Amino acid sequence: YNKFLNRARELINDESLASTELSTIATHAGYEPFDYPGVGYPVVPPISFSTTFRQKEPAKPFKSDYLRCGNSTIDNLQDILASLDGGKHCLTFASGCATTTAICQTLNAGDHILFYHDVYGGTNRIFRKILPKSNISASPVDARDLDVLKAAFKPETKLLWLETPSNPTMTIVDIAEAVKIAKEYNKDIIVVVDNTFLTPCFQRPLHLGADISMYSLTKYMNGHTDVLMGAAVFNDEELYERVHFQQYAAGATAAPFECYMVIRSLRTLTCRMRTHQFNGMSVAVFLEQHPKIEKVLHPYLPSHPQHELAKKQTTGNSGMLSFYLKASTEQCNVFLNALKIICLAESLGGYESLIEIPFLMTHASVPLEEREKLEITENLFRLSVGLEDPVSLIKDLEQALEKI
């Protein structure tokens, strides 16, 4: 098994986080120990559950007047997230989908959204089934082809939504070029990048020109499969205020306890992401050479059609990969049932390894013709590689593959 691990080491940039000082930011940002009455100077920030706050005089709060406007625990988390992404402002939400909805609800009836055609199934569902009720239209585009992207904009287009690497086929969009095209068409078009798969450890969309770096914090940022949250990071204050008003007015606020949990998790983000990257790369190398695997989709494999773009735009990859199994539907089920360590479940980015079939699970709401076009088939598996020993994961996959 050492040959798979050694090859993984050759393919990843082990210094991918060294130059950004992200480990220091993740460890210390957002909080400076202070004299907390009756406690002293706690190193870990105290959690505040209060929904309301005493005011100096009517309509003159010391800071916040109500939980929907924020509190110290929410503010701590938002400061950390903004620092990690190199942004100036951050908003946290009750979920990733709540984040998406709040951003889109800043648009007006008659506006249009362009979105990358291979996005998370929940995002696709919002664009196709929720927003049309507000007379906001959305259309998919293969943004890998910059000429196709350029031709897809309309006078009413107000937002471009990208997800790169894509979910679940792991394709890459050139963020800087896509931003350039959007802004040349109309400088006021908002460009959002869903950075859930990579986190700021491996990709910082704001540095590439995006207006919003968006996350499902449920995934890698929290990393423990026990919190449901989302976030958006901004540089532009006016855009931040627009989304903030939408959040405040509609109430899609994150809760303090969940914020506290994510703060705890972010302190170890870079340590976890290094392990996810190495384990994911090791598993990808193993799968690619296996005769029962048709194809492996991982941007840092040289076989990936956008391998060079991935190396240019990102500093690494997480534990995410997908692969096609040479098997019938029945054999796919045999393979899944044979796994002993890797768990059949939706979601991703936790400490444990999870596997799923997007065609039947996370992307079942995507229209069939679109799934076929994207090659999201019944033998495509999405694998979120966790923090287990990589040899244990390879052995688990190996013995399950022997069953078919």
Side-chain angles (χ1 to χ4, degrees), residues 59-97:
K60 289 189 178 180
F62 287 94
K63 186 175 182 182
S64 179
D65 60 353
Y66 192 63
L67 182 58
R68 258 190 294 123
C69 302
N71 78 358
S72 59
T73 305
I74 296 172
D75 293 345
N76 284 346
L77 174 58
Q78 292 177 165
D79 288 346
I80 299 168
L81 292 170
S83 297
L84 285 169
D85 237 318
K88 296 177 181 177
H89 310 282
C90 176
L91 292 170
T92 50
F93 296 81
S95 69
C97 285

Side-chain angles (χ1 to χ4, degrees), residues 151-198:
F153 286 95
K154 304 176 181 180
E156 60 269 27
T157 302
K158 297 296 189 294
L159 189 148
L160 172 63
W161 190 283
L162 305 174
E163 184 172 344
T164 177
S166 67
N167 182 1
T169 62
M170 303 299 293
T171 55
I172 309 292
V173 175
D174 190 322
I175 296 173
E177 287 300 315
V179 169
K180 181 180 176 183
I181 289 169
K183 300 297 184 180
E184 284 177 351
Y185 186 87
N186 181 345
K187 65 180 177 58
D188 294 325
I189 289 174
I190 301 166
V191 180
V192 182
V193 176
D194 185 337
N195 200 35
T196 298
F197 268 28
L198 293 188

Side-chain angles (χ1 to χ4, degrees), residues 44-49 67 70-81 90-95 217 221-222 226-231 247 252-267:
V44 176
I47 183 171
S48 171
F49 288 109
L67 182 58
N71 78 358
S72 59
T73 305
I74 296 172
D75 293 345
N76 284 346
L77 174 58
Q78 292 177 165
D79 288 346
I80 299 168
L81 292 170
C90 176
L91 292 170
T92 50
F93 296 81
S95 69
L217 298 179
M221 299 290 262
N222 180 63
D226 54 8
V227 165
L228 185 68
M229 274 188 68
Q247 179 194 46
T253 314
F257 183 73
E258 281 72 16
C259 289
Y260 176 84
M261 295 281 279
V262 177
I263 291 170
R264 166 218 60 180
S265 297
L266 289 175
R267 300 314 189 190

